[in-house]
Amino acid sequence: MTVAVAYKYAANPQDANVRSDGSVDWSRAKAAVSDYDPVAVEVGRKLAEAAGAELVGISVGGKNLSSSMAKKNAMSKGLDRGLILSDEATTSWNSAKIASALAELAKQAEAEVVLTGDSSIDEGVGVMSALVAGYLGWPCFQEVVSITPADGGYEIVQAVGGGTRTLTVSGNVVVSVATDAAPVKVPSMKDILAAGKKPVEVVAADAVSAAPVEVEVTGTEKPAAKDRKNQVYTGEEAVAELVGALRSEGVL
């Protein structure tokens, strides 16, 4: 059995700058494994140990994904090995095309379960798990707190409004792990050094049958600044007047 965790090696938007034309300059942003993906690795690690399975990291990205730093950064989180598509051609791919490639990597890894983080740090759309499941033809569950082996399938605990619910699923499945599903262990120096010895297979874009989905960006611009009324309320009735004004505008 193989458990796969899809991770993203992405730039932190806190280090990015917005240009005057509204486009984003990522040149000074440092890349690392996306913040929520280590949580998925922790949940995947528990599942793999309970099932006696191998934990494989799968990812799609540019050439920096196959750098020594990127490999160590990912493998030190607790993965057994990696299977990645590292090609500059992927930098122009949209989410649907990347998801199709991740699905192909999951098949190559012979994964029976695919886990993802809640969302990526750079885009934060939160649709990758559903897209990957669609290409694999597997069911998908989001906001998953835990997943454990059960007879012929898995027991999934999913966060819902006001609490959790427990589901029993048979067959292969894709799950998106909740952000607080498990505490993340900070890799030690021993983990980082050991990560450099873990096998990471790198494939090129032409070795994977990615879906021919294309998106063209036709323009970028900053949102228009809203006009402010600049109304100031003073005196003993200031609070009541402010509340009345907010209610009249539909804010309260």
Side-chain angles (χ1 to χ4, degrees):
M1 176 184 174
T2 301
V3 177
V5 177
Y7 69 90
K8 188 174 187 180
Y9 192 68
N12 192 324
Q14 293 183 355
D15 300 325
N17 295 310
V18 180
R19 301 187 183 96
S20 58
D21 63 354
S23 60
V24 180
D25 177 14
W26 295 93
S27 60
R28 297 184 180 181
K30 297 180 180 179
V33 172
S34 189
D35 281 5
Y36 300 130
D37 294 340
V39 183
V41 175
E42 290 291 338
V43 174
R45 180 78 268 162
K46 293 177 181 178
L47 173 61
E49 290 176 353
E54 182 182 38
L55 188 63
V56 181
I58 58 175
S59 187
V60 174
K63 280 295 184 182
N64 66 339
L65 178 62
S66 57
S67 67
S68 176
M69 182 179 295
K71 290 178 181 177
K72 287 182 179 180
N73 188 210
M75 295 300 109
S76 66
K77 307 300 182 186
L79 299 166
D80 295 322
R81 67 180 176 92
L83 177 60
I84 62 175
L85 193 168
S86 178
D87 196 306
E88 280 304 297
T90 65
T91 57
S92 62
W93 287 8
N94 55 70
S95 297
K97 196 167 185 176
I98 290 173
S100 69
L102 285 172
E104 289 294 315
L105 293 178
K107 292 177 183 177
Q108 290 185 26
E110 298 182 347
E112 296 180 21
V113 179
V114 176
L115 297 93
T116 74
D118 178 74
S119 61
S120 63
I121 190 174
D122 55 345
E123 296 182 3
V125 180
V127 299
M128 192 55 64
S129 58
L131 289 172
V132 172
Y135 284 110
L136 289 172
W138 299 356
C140 175
F141 297 91
Q142 298 181 325
E143 290 294 319
V144 171
V145 177
S146 69
I147 175 171
T148 53
D151 293 338
Y154 308 94
E155 183 178 275
I156 295 174
V157 178
Q158 184 182 37
V160 296
T164 61
R165 66 177 177 181
T166 301
L167 309 168
T168 301
V169 181
S170 61
N172 301 340
V173 66
V174 177
V175 300
S176 174
V177 177
T179 58
D180 58 351
V184 176
K185 183 185 73 171
V186 178
S188 64
M189 183 56 67
K190 182 180 179 180
D191 294 329
I192 295 173
L193 292 175
K197 300 178 181 179
K198 293 181 179 180
V200 179
E201 182 182 351
V202 182
V203 299
D206 56 6
V208 174
S209 300
V213 182
E214 303 296 337
V215 174
E216 180 183 359
V217 178
T218 57
T220 58
E221 62 180 31
K222 288 184 176 180
K226 295 182 179 180
D227 293 331
R228 298 181 181 273
K229 293 187 176 182
N230 294 319
Q231 293 180 346
V232 179
Y233 301 94
T234 60
E236 295 181 357
E237 300 298 324
V239 174
E241 292 175 357
L242 175 59
V243 171
L246 292 175
R247 285 177 175 170
S248 66
E249 294 291 336
V251 177
L252 296 178

